[in-house]
Amino acid sequence: MYIISREWDSLFDNTYRGVDMISRSPSWFLNAEASSRMKLRLFCFPYAGGGASIFGNWKREFPPEIKVCPVQLPGRESRALESPLNSLPDIVHSLVSEMTPFLHSPFAFFGHSMGALIAFETARKLYREHHVLPAHFFASGKAAPHYTSRKKILHRLPDDQFKDELRLIEGTPEEILDNDELMQIVMPRLRSDFAVCETYVYRPEEPLSCPITVFGGAQDHEVSIDSLRAWQEHTSSEFKLQLFEGNHFFLHQQETEVIDSMMHVLSSPKKPAVFRQDIAHVNGLG
C-alpha cells in the first residue's frame, strides 16, 4: 500500500541534484493516446504514496496491442504542484469525468492496494453513469472492499507517531524517514492517501459483470488470503485468485511474473462467464 524505494530514489535524486521534478501537467492519465496497434487500454492505479512512475517498466513489457495507461493522482510527480485529494468519492468523481473520452474502446483496470479500491469504485460509477465496464478487473494486494478488519487510524497521528507507524509498515526507507526535508514534501500526500483508505465507506451494489482476477503476496501479513478471496462476491463472471512469492510489494518483487499473468489473461479469447473459486500458485507455492 505504501511507497517503496524506487520512487523514493527518484525523489531523493531530484531534490538534491537540483533537477526540476515538478512539471505543470494536470493530466490524470499517462500514455492514454490511441495508437494504430492498440486493442485495449490498461488503466493502472497506484498504491498509496505512489505515482504513475511505478508502472514505468510495464509500458515496455506489454505488447503494443495493450496500451498501459498509468493513473497520476494529484499531488505527486507530474502533478506535484496540486493538492492531494483525501476523499475516495472526490477522486472517483474526477476520474470518471476524465475517463469519458476513452470509453469508446475496450479497457481493463489494474489497481494495487489503495489503487484497487479506487479502481473498484471507478468501475462501479462508470457502470452507473455510462453502462460500461472494464473488459477485465485486476485487484492486487488489497482486501475486498466489503471486508472489514480493525486497523489503526493513522492519517491524524502527530508527525513523530506517523513516522513510527511508517517504520512498522516497512514501506519507506529509513534514510527517507530520517530526512526531515523530504518528509515535509511527501507527508501531506501520505496522510491524504491514508485518509482515502481509512475513511472509505463501502455501500452494497450489484456485483460487476466483468471477470475479476486477484493477486496476492504469499508473505503479505497485511492482507489475508480470506480477504483476497472475498473479492469473488463482487463479480457475476469469472473469478481467479493468484498468489506470488513476496510481501505486500510482490508487485515489484515479482514484476515479470505479474505482467506475464496479466498478458495471458488479456490475450486469451473471450470465454463464457463462469464463476470459479480456484487459487493459482506460482513460484513453487503449491
Side-chain angles (χ1 to χ4, degrees):
M1 173 175 177
Y2 314 100
I3 296 178
I4 65 163
S5 58
R6 79 170 57 181
E7 191 178 356
W8 283 117
D9 290 344
S10 174
L11 177 62
F12 188 91
D13 289 345
N14 288 330
T15 301
Y16 287 99
R17 293 178 184 174
V19 177
D20 180 11
M21 71 175 188
I22 300 173
S23 65
R24 293 164 175 79
S25 173
S27 176
W28 281 82
F29 311 111
L30 275 63
N31 198 43
E33 300 81 8
S35 62
S36 59
R37 298 180 63 183
M38 185 196 77
K39 294 182 179 179
L40 176 141
R41 285 186 178 90
L42 175 60
F43 291 100
C44 300
F45 299 74
Y47 45 73
S53 66
I54 69 171
F55 300 108
N57 291 340
W58 291 34
K59 289 184 284 186
R60 295 184 292 270
E61 296 297 327
F62 276 90
E65 292 81 10
I66 300 174
K67 185 90 166 180
V68 175
C69 306
V71 174
Q72 189 75 290
L73 299 175
R76 60 213 70 200
E77 298 177 350
S78 61
R79 305 184 68 184
L81 290 178
E82 301 175 55
S83 298
L85 299 176
N86 57 13
S87 160
L88 192 141
D90 288 345
I91 293 173
V92 170
H93 175 79
S94 296
L95 272 170
V96 169
S97 176
E98 294 294 324
M99 197 172 285
T100 302
F102 306 114
L103 300 181
H104 62 279
S105 57
F107 63 94
F109 280 178
F110 171 90
H112 185 78
S113 199
M114 179 189 78
L117 195 60
I118 296 173
F120 174 72
E121 288 298 340
T122 300
R124 297 215 293 183
K125 188 173 178 67
L126 281 174
Y127 185 74
R128 289 195 303 268
E129 297 186 358
H130 301 282
H131 304 289
V132 295
L133 281 171
H136 205 98
F137 186 95
F138 296 92
S140 175
K142 180 65 178 175
H146 70 282
Y147 197 91
T148 58
S149 61
R150 292 185 178 181
K151 288 193 174 182
K152 301 176 185 176
I153 301 300
L154 306 183
H155 71 276
R156 293 180 179 174
L157 289 176
D159 287 355
D160 287 346
Q161 293 181 36
F162 188 70
K163 286 196 285 188
D164 288 341
E165 292 294 335
L166 292 177
R167 284 190 172 91
L168 292 175
I169 294 166
E170 298 182 342
T172 310
E174 193 67 30
E175 60 268 26
I176 303 299
L177 290 169
D178 290 337
N179 188 309
D180 291 337
E181 184 177 353
L182 283 178
M183 287 305 296
Q184 288 304 312
I185 294 173
V186 300
M187 200 173 293
R189 87 181 190 199
L190 280 171
R191 288 188 181 278
S192 293
D193 286 353
F194 274 89
V196 167
C197 298
E198 292 170 356
T199 61
Y200 171 70
V201 177
Y202 170 76
R203 290 179 173 83
E205 290 184 18
E206 289 297 312
L208 304 176
S209 58
C210 61
I212 292 180
T213 296
V214 177
F215 297 148
Q219 290 80 40
D220 185 352
H221 302 300
E222 293 187 47
V223 184
S224 69
I225 293 179
D226 284 344
S227 72
L228 294 171
R229 188 183 289 111
W231 276 97
Q232 67 190 23
E233 298 183 28
H234 296 287
T235 179
S236 58
S237 182
E238 284 191 356
F239 174 81
K240 183 178 181 180
L241 171 58
Q242 185 169 357
L243 299 179
F244 295 86
E245 283 285 357
N247 58 25
H248 193 63
F249 293 109
F250 69 89
L251 173 70
H252 299 297
Q253 298 160 350
Q254 305 292 343
E255 186 173 64
T256 299
E257 289 75 11
V258 170
I259 291 173
D260 285 348
S261 292
M262 294 177 66
M263 283 198 292
H264 176 75
V265 170
L266 295 175
S267 301
S268 298
K270 235 180 180 181
K271 300 175 183 177
V274 288
F275 186 79
R276 302 191 325 187
Q277 301 186 45
D278 57 315
I279 301 179
H281 297 257
V282 299
N283 300 325
L285 292 177

